[in-house]
Amino acid sequence: MDVFRISGGRPLSGTVTVGGAKNAALPLFASCLLTDEVCRIENVPDLSDLRYMAEILRFLGARVEQLAPGVWEIEARNLSHRAPYDLVRRMRASVCLLGALVGRLKKAEISLPGGCVIGPRPIDLHVKGLARLGCLITTEKGYLHVDAEGARGKSVFLGGRHGSTVTGTANLLMAAVLTPGLTRVDSAACEPEIADLCRHLVAMGAKIEGIGSPTLLIEGVQRLGGASHRVLPDRIEAGTYLIASAMVGGDLIVEDVRPEHLGALLDKLDEAGFRIEAPSHSSLRLSPGGSCQPVDVITLPHPGFPTDLQAQMATLMAITPGISIITERIYPHRFMHVPELQRMGADIAMEGASAIVKGRSGSLSGAPVMASDLRASAALVLAGLAARGETWIQRIYHLDRGYERFDAKLRKLGADLERLPDTEMPADLREAD
Ligand code: EPU
């Protein structure tokens, strides 16, 4: 397994181009199963999660080919309705196949995804949505069996105790576009990745109104055709680079960004004292605007502050003088980065689903740390870039799931960071796996 070695304290300068959004590309791949015609998806990030999704689609019977970097063609003529445990367990996001199989084949058998390091991740709302359409659903031996032969459009309220559900909305959409009648989804997720999926579905012939809003109206059609779609830029990758820039300074331009998708982050960075400029309509640059202030953050469904940037923001607050409170409303247990940041010198106390961060400039010093999930790992990289001395990060395969060429991009911007086989990590720094 590879590790990162980072020598902190270097500013980041130059231009970094953001890739396509992982969390849009995954359901977009699944949506290609809704037709027997050819679909083409462009701007697909080169990530292990996407390569794995391609493998699952092939297992189900689709032809999946990468034509050029970022360009994939998917053709699902014959399709199996069963997604087995050994495929689904490796990637939780594969649950987004459920809606596609239900829509296209009117039946699905999919292994229930297990828990996840960021906390419990139930799919009760996905099930509730499909059941509301009249699907017959049973659970047996760890599999969800769905019979959608009698399904008809209905009104569905999809909100739960943590707000809307992103993949639950994607699943209901993909089932409803090929279900007769009018489906109305209230408390639908408004994440840009859902709007992106809707646009692809519309290009395939689906009838959807209210795209981007919490109320979606879907008029079922008999069949969908092939289409081409370009995946929207990854707002979380963009946000991660902006926070990195806030932490280490320099002159960094983040290119291929939709600022309108980053409103909550940009507002918090502004409140924290950073100046944000837009050198062009699709790029952003951050510069210090005087003294930096601590800010409180609460994660919420879009357009609120994204949970996927919480760990990175907590890391910025660890070196910003003063006290800030970072509260998780989406995944109350998503604080695996905290013990690792504490090992690097951060002063953070946990109080329920809130991290109380006592920020201090220069508080971070390099240490050997362990990556746990994708965004916690990104936060450790940012901490390593800002820390004094050397940081070693183990289990970086988490990063490869969601940040395209993270090490290469950061190196190009001036970071002193390398990817090494773990055998090159000093043995006394290695933690037991
Ligand atoms: N929830 C339920 N019941 C459900 C579904 C969700 O209670 O049936 C709860 C969850 O436990 C959570 C909240 O609702 O508390 C939101 O979950 P959601 O379903 O929206 O999350 P998801 O679709 O499983 C996607 C992203 C996550 C991102 C969340 C929130 C993908 C593949 N994953 O997950 O991304 O954190 O939305 O924005 O799109 C990541 O990229 O690192 C990542 C974890």
Side-chain angles (χ1 to χ4, degrees):
M1 272 197 289
D2 289 348
V3 297
F4 275 178
R5 187 206 55 78
I6 307 174
S7 257
R10 300 251 192 126
L12 296 177
S13 293
T15 299
V16 64
T17 304
V18 171
K22 164 183 85 82
N23 290 345
L26 287 167
L28 281 165
F29 266 32
S31 69
C32 298
L33 303 185
L34 288 164
T35 175
D36 59 2
E37 292 182 14
V38 177
C39 287
R40 189 185 172 107
I41 310 289
E42 297 182 11
N43 200 31
V44 176
D46 184 20
L47 298 171
S48 58
D49 270 12
L50 266 301
R51 287 190 290 275
Y52 189 57
M53 190 61 156
E55 217 178 287
I56 301 181
L57 297 191
R58 285 190 195 108
F59 175 90
L60 292 173
R63 178 179 67 80
V64 184
E65 276 178 61
Q66 184 170 11
L67 304 182
V71 183
W72 290 72
E73 201 169 81
I74 299 172
E75 183 181 24
R77 282 176 185 272
N78 302 306
L79 210 52
S80 157
H81 70 285
R82 184 177 159 86
Y85 178 62
D86 53 331
L87 283 183
V88 172
R89 79 186 160 89
R90 273 176 52 193
M91 188 176 68
R92 215 200 155 276
S94 45
V95 74
C96 71
L97 294 164
L98 178 62
L101 294 176
V102 166
R104 169 85 182 273
L105 302 174
K106 306 291 163 230
K107 61 179 174 178
E109 229 179 279
I110 185 162
S111 169
L112 287 161
C116 164
V117 67
I118 67 177
R121 298 185 68 182
I123 60 161
D124 57 308
L125 297 170
H126 306 221
V127 171
K128 172 186 160 181
L130 293 177
R132 189 80 189 119
L133 299 190
C135 294
L136 302 175
I137 304 175
T138 50
T139 308
E140 237 174 88
K141 295 182 183 159
Y143 280 77
L144 200 68
H145 297 251
V146 185
D147 172 353
E149 284 302 341
R152 293 288 175 274
K154 276 269 164 47
S155 280
V156 184
F157 181 81
L158 209 55
R161 52 201 291 256
H162 298 284
S164 49
T165 158
V166 177
T167 308
T169 302
N171 269 332
L172 193 56
L173 264 166
M174 289 190 271
V177 287
L178 287 174
T179 296
L182 180 70
T183 297
R184 177 189 169 108
V185 187
D186 282 308
S187 195
C190 300
E191 270 66 7
E193 293 75 21
I194 292 296
D196 208 40
L197 171 66
C198 287
R199 281 189 281 273
H200 182 231
L201 292 171
V202 167
M204 292 171 78
K207 293 188 178 158
I208 306 173
E209 278 178 35
I211 295 176
S213 83
T215 298
L216 295 170
L217 296 174
I218 306 139
E219 177 78 54
V221 297
Q222 279 197 334
R223 64 179 303 279
L224 295 178
S228 287
H229 184 82
R230 185 174 172 80
V231 181
L232 88 171
D234 196 318
R235 64 195 165 100
I236 305 301
E237 187 191 5
T240 302
Y241 283 112
L242 287 170
I243 297 172
S245 172
M247 290 182 70
V248 299
D251 183 12
L252 178 65
I253 296 179
V254 186
E255 181 67 60
D256 211 358
V257 184
R258 304 262 177 91
E260 69 274 22
H261 294 166
L262 280 167
L265 172 70
L266 298 180
D267 184 57
K268 284 293 162 192
L269 290 173
D270 176 70
E271 194 184 326
F274 295 94
R275 270 211 333 262
I276 299 147
E277 299 158 44
S280 74
H281 73 282
S282 65
S283 63
L284 289 173
R285 170 199 265 141
L286 209 66
S287 51
S291 66
C292 291
Q293 310 290 328
V295 290
D296 294 339
V297 171
I298 301 180
T299 66
L300 289 168
H302 191 77
F305 193 94
T307 171
D308 292 343
L309 286 172
Q310 178 262 113
Q312 301 89 315
M313 196 64 181
T315 311
L316 169 61
M317 288 301 110
I319 58 165
T320 304
I323 295 182
S324 60
I325 302 176
I326 313 274
T327 303
E328 251 302 337
R329 286 274 166 79
I330 310 288
Y331 298 115
H333 304 286
R334 194 179 203 179
F335 287 102
M336 291 80 56
H337 45 288
V338 168
E340 302 302 298
L341 291 174
Q342 285 167 336
R343 302 191 63 240
M344 296 180 72
D347 186 346
I348 307 178
M350 289 306 303
E351 186 68 51
S354 295
I356 296 148
V357 187
K358 278 194 201 156
R360 199 163 42 82
S361 164
S363 63
L364 297 176
S365 68
V369 288
M370 192 69 87
S372 53
D373 86 305
L374 175 56
R375 309 304 171 186
S377 315
L380 295 180
V381 173
L382 302 197
L385 294 174
R388 276 167 286 118
E390 210 165 61
T391 296
W392 291 83
I393 309 181
Q394 281 182 266
R395 299 193 191 170
I396 56 162
Y397 53 84
H398 290 292
L399 280 168
D400 297 332
R401 289 187 38 225
Y403 288 89
E404 196 177 37
R405 299 185 298 108
F406 203 25
D407 45 331
K409 285 185 179 181
L410 286 169
R411 245 191 330 270
K412 199 170 151 240
L413 300 172
D416 183 352
L417 175 156
E418 52 184 350
R419 177 189 291 257
L420 299 166
D422 57 1
T423 46
E424 292 206 24
M425 183 172 175
D428 57 324
L429 298 185
R430 247 181 266 165
E431 290 184 73
D433 243 356

